[in-house]
Amino acid sequence: MSEMERDSRVDTAWKAASREEPPVALDDAIRAAARKAVDTQPRRARDKHWWYPYAAAATVAVIAAGLLQVTPPEQVTPTIVADADRTQKQDAPAVVAPAPPPEASPPTMAAPAAPPSKIAGPSPALVKKESRESEAQRAAALAQNATQNATQRELDATDKLAQPTKPAKPTKRTEPAERTEGAAANKPAQLQASPAPAARAPLAEPFPGAPQSSARSAPVERRDSSTSNANAMESAPAQQAAAAPSAAAARLAGSAVGEQRAQRQAMLSKDEVSAQPRAKTATPRSVEDWIKLIRELRSEGRIDEARKEIVAFRNAYGEQADSLLPQDLREFAPPAAKQ
Amino acid sequence: MPASAASSDEDLMLAYAAGDAAAFDMLYARHKGGVYRYLLRQCRQPGIADELFQDVWMNLVRARESYAPTAKFTTWLYRLAHNRMIDHFRASGHLTLVSADDEAHEEAVIALPGARSMQPESRAENRELGERLRAAVAALPPAQREAFLLQQEAEMSLAEIAAVTGAGVETVKSRLRYALSKLRSELADLDEDLQEGLR
């Protein structure tokens, strides 16, 4: 620094003239604050994240609320009502239906009835009661119902094949107990009046002496809707056994329906069967038995009944019906007379 | 590493940032006077100077974890003080730190008398000298006064003053010339008065 920017006389004079110091109290305050900042530093660092758990909980709550808001309640309620109505309609033929064939084992038929119970299990009053605590479950049930409907639509094309192999009456009868709560009030009476279907035995056995309404609805309510699909798929082998006639018919018909489709078909067979009047399809019949029955009717002179059976056979097996029918029966009731 | 009296300002600041409160005490003892006088000469009111002084050191305490010894500690410290003072002037409505007469009076500055060695004076003369010098510094334009104070109180070089004030080195050099010329003139007048008083 040159002489022009520095003057020793000015420097000396200034150092002699400028000697002010900050007040002692201010010194103490600043030192104390500086020491306090350092002393409290580890604790502050530790406490810095105290709000993380609260933030995480709040985030989860907001996401859950958002998901519930995305699903309009009017989409859930009609589904429940529709299922309840459909189940009530299913109840009538189910009660009067004959006992299931021996191959439809009761334990295997009770398992797939669990998923729909969460869809329409609670009655409207109970829906209101449980709506606050099971909004998420209802949303999951709604999604499951949509999936099931899609699968059902997908299998509509193979309905004709599935019809003769639908010994799913027991399933149909156990379903209302788990699906609708609106029907839950009527349920006990129906269960008592029904001719002891084998498929209902698993539900009735754990609570033999309990009141009908509570004893039958309790296990239904405890079931988790989230496991409905999983239960359905896990119980697929059991349902496969129940739907053995269906699979056998499919193989006999030479169709390309696979084993997996047969399983899904068996899962949905209760819905399919309940939606159609099926006095004849209630009793499963093999191709040989059917042909034998037709021949017997023809030999007994009951021509009209024999032709009706052939028409029913054609309706059941569709395109493959003529290939399955013997030549004489084909000529006895040509396809033109099918309709 | 524990802080000691031989440690540099930067080491002391790093030690304090690491949690050594004693390092802050040493730093504070070294620089409290210069910072305080720097602020006091600028705002000229002890009460406000106290407030600004406390704010500067609290800012240092808060910024300790982000301190990096990329420059001299005094440069960083006085920049904190400079910024706090700017904020104060802005809040009070009279921000006049820019000196407009730097280049206009350069020829007059060159013609000013040079440095003279200071002879021992009497006590009254020193007191008189101090008062007139403080008054002369207070009368300087703010930018010149700040440059002079940084030079005197913080013992800063031209580059460091430029870093603190945000001005160029040449600008700082010019400001110091103006300031010193006026102060020399004041001292010359004081000498004349003293000589007349002795007669």
Side-chain angles (χ1 to χ4, degrees), chain A residues 127-215:
Chain A
V127 167
K128 290 180 180 178
K129 181 180 176 181
E130 293 179 343
S131 61
R132 294 177 184 171
E133 58 187 13
S134 63
E135 288 287 343
Q137 291 181 353
R138 292 199 308 177
L142 182 64
Q144 177 197 353
N145 187 34
T147 306
Q148 191 173 8
N149 289 337
T151 308
Q152 184 174 351
R153 269 184 260 110
E154 180 184 336
L155 291 175
D156 278 344
T158 61
D159 184 40
K160 291 181 179 180
L161 280 176
Q163 269 188 344
T165 62
K166 286 175 185 166
K169 288 296 180 182
T171 306
K172 204 171 50 179
R173 266 177 274 141
T174 58
E175 187 179 356
E178 302 170 0
R179 292 194 60 154
T180 64
E181 185 176 340
N186 301 328
K187 189 64 189 169
Q190 293 174 356
L191 289 173
Q192 287 176 344
S194 62
R200 200 178 302 135
L203 279 178
E205 282 175 3
F207 308 99
Q212 294 284 342
S213 59
S214 61

Side-chain angles (χ1 to χ4, degrees), chain A residues 1-42 44-45 48, chain B residues 16-17 19 21 24-25 28 32-33 36-37 40-41 50 53-54 57-58 61 64-65 115-116 118 129-130 133-134 137 148-149 151-153 155 157-158 173 176-177 180 183-184 187 191:
Chain A
M1 192 173 293
S2 68
E3 186 71 13
M4 288 300 294
E5 290 87 40
R6 198 88 198 189
D7 191 319
S8 60
R9 189 187 178 203
V10 172
D11 290 350
T12 305
W14 182 254
K15 286 184 176 15
S18 180
R19 294 187 176 183
E20 293 89 346
E21 292 287 331
V24 177
L26 189 57
D27 286 348
D28 295 339
I30 291 171
R31 286 196 183 100
R35 187 169 290 107
K36 183 180 177 182
V38 171
D39 291 341
T40 59
Q41 184 173 4
R44 287 176 61 189
K48 196 164 56 177
Chain B
Y16 174 64
F24 178 85
D25 291 342
Y28 183 75
K32 65 174 184 176
Y36 182 75
R37 289 188 290 271
L40 179 63
R41 301 295 173 220
D50 291 352
F53 180 75
Q54 187 173 6
W57 287 101
M58 289 300 99
V61 169
R64 66 187 181 279
E65 293 177 350
R116 295 182 300 180
M118 193 170 180
L129 175 64
L133 189 57
R134 284 195 294 271
V137 169
F148 173 78
L149 290 173
Q151 183 189 52
Q152 294 295 325
E153 301 295 348
E155 299 291 337
S157 65
L158 293 176
K173 191 174 181 180
L176 282 174
R177 281 184 187 177
L180 285 175
L183 294 177
R184 286 175 194 144
L187 290 178
D191 289 341

Side-chain angles (χ1 to χ4, degrees), chain B residues 84-122:
Chain B
R84 181 64 188 92
M85 195 179 58
I86 295 290
D87 293 341
H88 165 71
F89 285 145
R90 281 181 179 149
S92 60
H94 51 277
L95 178 61
T96 54
L97 281 179
V98 178
S99 179
D101 56 352
D102 285 354
E103 304 299 329
H105 298 84
E106 186 167 3
E107 295 178 358
V109 169
I110 294 172
L112 286 172
R116 295 182 300 180
S117 59
M118 193 170 180
Q119 301 297 322
E121 304 288 351
S122 64

Side-chain angles (χ1 to χ4, degrees), chain A residues 14-138:
Chain A
W14 182 254
K15 286 184 176 15
S18 180
R19 294 187 176 183
E20 293 89 346
E21 292 287 331
V24 177
L26 189 57
D27 286 348
D28 295 339
I30 291 171
R31 286 196 183 100
R35 187 169 290 107
K36 183 180 177 182
V38 171
D39 291 341
T40 59
Q41 184 173 4
R43 187 168 56 85
R44 287 176 61 189
R46 187 171 59 249
D47 295 340
K48 196 164 56 177
H49 306 297
W50 64 267
W51 52 272
Y52 278 19
Y54 297 99
T59 303
V60 171
V62 167
I63 291 173
L67 288 176
L68 291 178
Q69 292 295 327
V70 166
T71 304
E74 58 269 16
Q75 289 186 2
V76 178
T77 306
T79 303
I80 295 172
V81 173
D83 287 345
D85 293 338
R86 193 173 69 175
T87 306
Q88 286 176 350
K89 290 177 182 177
Q90 292 171 358
D91 285 342
V95 173
V96 298
E103 58 266 21
S105 60
T108 59
M109 301 306 289
S117 67
K118 282 302 174 181
I119 299 176
S123 66
L126 191 56
V127 167
K128 290 180 180 178
K129 181 180 176 181
E130 293 179 343
S131 61
R132 294 177 184 171
E133 58 187 13
S134 63
E135 288 287 343
Q137 291 181 353
R138 292 199 308 177

